[in-house]
Amino acid sequence: MAASIVIATRESRLALWQAEHVRDLLAQRFGAQVELLGMTTRGDQILDRALSKVGGKGLFVKELENALEDGRAQLAVHSLKDVPMQLPEGFVLGAVLPREDARDAFVSPRFASLQQLPQGARVGTSSLRRAAQLLALRPDLRIEALRGNLDTRLRRLDDAQYDAIVLAAAGLLRLGLGERIRTRLTQLLPCAGQGALGIEVLSARPEVAAAVRQLAHLPTWLACAAERAVSRRLGGSCSVPLAAHATPLGDGRWQLRAAFGMPDGRLLRAQAEAALPELGAAERLGEAVAEDLRRAGALV
């Protein structure tokens, strides 16, 4: 790897934490000088509409990919849940790093749990996946849109715009805000890749990809490959209410569970188990679970 490296990153506090984390890993492993190239993406700019209506998760990565393509940066760091299931030609996922807590977090200044919310309580989330699962548990809730970076979402909660909000536990923990978590929502399946960091590189820079791969955490990569395969096969994006989560069973075997929210409010569920010796096996497990959901009536 080159002695000097530039990482493209969004400029939110969480994105910068993630990029700084990778910067420190690269400096420790390779003794490299690493700089950050902070960028504002279209996803950061469009806050008045749901992502599902304005272009999806790709809005968070396109500008960073442009920086890789024109040579301003050698790699980009993403929350893996924000990375589209199909990368543009010429781009590859170079590594997936160890996963933080993948669960969703229930955050509220007044109520200790989802069960304690009163009838008709206002819950903030713009995730169709979270909304579908929350309403399956509590059809009385009022699900209201919530966009913006993590600090913005917390501020809107504290301003009493919502009774509770649902966030990824990983982001809160990484920023030292774990005390804001009232409970982990174990009833909700996470989205593909939640809690994991992905490093994107150009396929035309194999030396960068080879170096970055040394930072990879294979168990997390296997789990996320299976989860992302479910989403990819079902056209997964923020416009599809789809959850997928893989967990180890021991002895090299994994369980993959998935859920798909239907327009009539039903949740279709599927799961399977398999040994995952390599990424191809993980993807095949994900594709099999996706096919089970499709046969059950998942609409894509």
Side-chain angles (χ1 to χ4, degrees), residues 42-59:
R42 287 281 291 159
D44 298 309
Q45 295 169 342
I46 302 173
L47 299 178
D48 59 343
R49 285 163 286 171
L51 285 177
S52 58
K53 300 185 182 303
V54 293
K57 295 182 177 183
L59 292 177

Side-chain angles (χ1 to χ4, degrees), residues 136-149:
L137 294 168
R138 289 283 307 269
D140 62 289
L141 296 177
R142 289 169 49 194
I143 305 298
E144 299 188 354
L146 176 63
R147 288 286 316 282
N149 62 40

Side-chain angles (χ1 to χ4, degrees), residues 59-265:
L59 292 177
F60 287 120
V61 302
K62 183 60 180 173
E63 283 84 355
L64 278 60
E65 290 172 342
N66 290 342
L68 297 184
E69 202 162 33
D70 64 25
R72 286 176 290 155
Q74 288 73 53
L75 54 96
V77 176
H78 309 292
S79 290
L80 190 58
K81 66 182 178 62
D82 293 333
V83 177
M85 301 305 150
Q86 296 282 5
L87 293 179
E89 185 176 355
F91 296 88
V92 295
L93 194 60
V96 174
L97 274 58
R99 197 173 216 167
E100 182 51 272
D101 191 333
R103 291 171 291 183
D104 286 318
F106 177 86
V107 182
S108 173
R110 299 172 54 207
F111 303 101
S113 68
L114 181 68
Q115 292 75 17
Q116 287 190 12
L117 287 174
Q119 289 280 114
R122 299 163 299 161
V123 178
T125 179
S126 289
S127 162
L128 297 180
R129 170 192 65 84
R130 288 172 177 149
Q133 294 184 84
L134 287 168
L135 290 173
L137 294 168
R138 289 283 307 269
D140 62 289
L141 296 177
R142 289 169 49 194
I143 305 298
E144 299 188 354
L146 176 63
R147 288 286 316 282
N149 62 40
L150 188 147
D151 291 316
T152 297
R153 298 182 190 204
L154 289 172
R155 185 167 56 251
R156 293 183 64 186
L157 172 67
D158 293 339
D159 288 343
Q161 297 181 38
Y162 307 91
D163 295 301
I165 62 176
V166 179
L167 301 170
L172 292 164
L173 294 170
R174 285 175 172 140
L175 290 183
L177 297 172
E179 75 280 354
R180 297 299 303 261
I181 300 174
R182 300 300 298 270
T183 187
R184 269 78 164 178
L185 290 169
T186 56
Q187 315 97 309
L188 272 60
L189 276 183
C191 69
Q194 186 159 307
L197 302 183
I199 302 178
E200 186 179 13
V201 299
L202 289 175
S203 56
R205 297 292 302 273
E207 77 286 359
V208 177
V212 163
R213 197 170 298 118
Q214 296 183 48
L215 305 179
H217 186 248
L218 183 58
T220 301
W221 204 342
L222 289 169
C224 293
E227 296 160 9
R228 286 171 61 82
V230 177
S231 192
R232 188 180 301 113
R233 180 58 66 95
L234 291 174
S237 68
C238 54
S239 62
V240 176
L242 176 65
H245 188 52
T247 52
L249 296 173
D251 296 324
R253 294 188 64 80
W254 291 75
Q255 180 186 69
L256 176 62
R257 296 178 294 153
F260 190 99
M262 296 289 282
D264 60 7

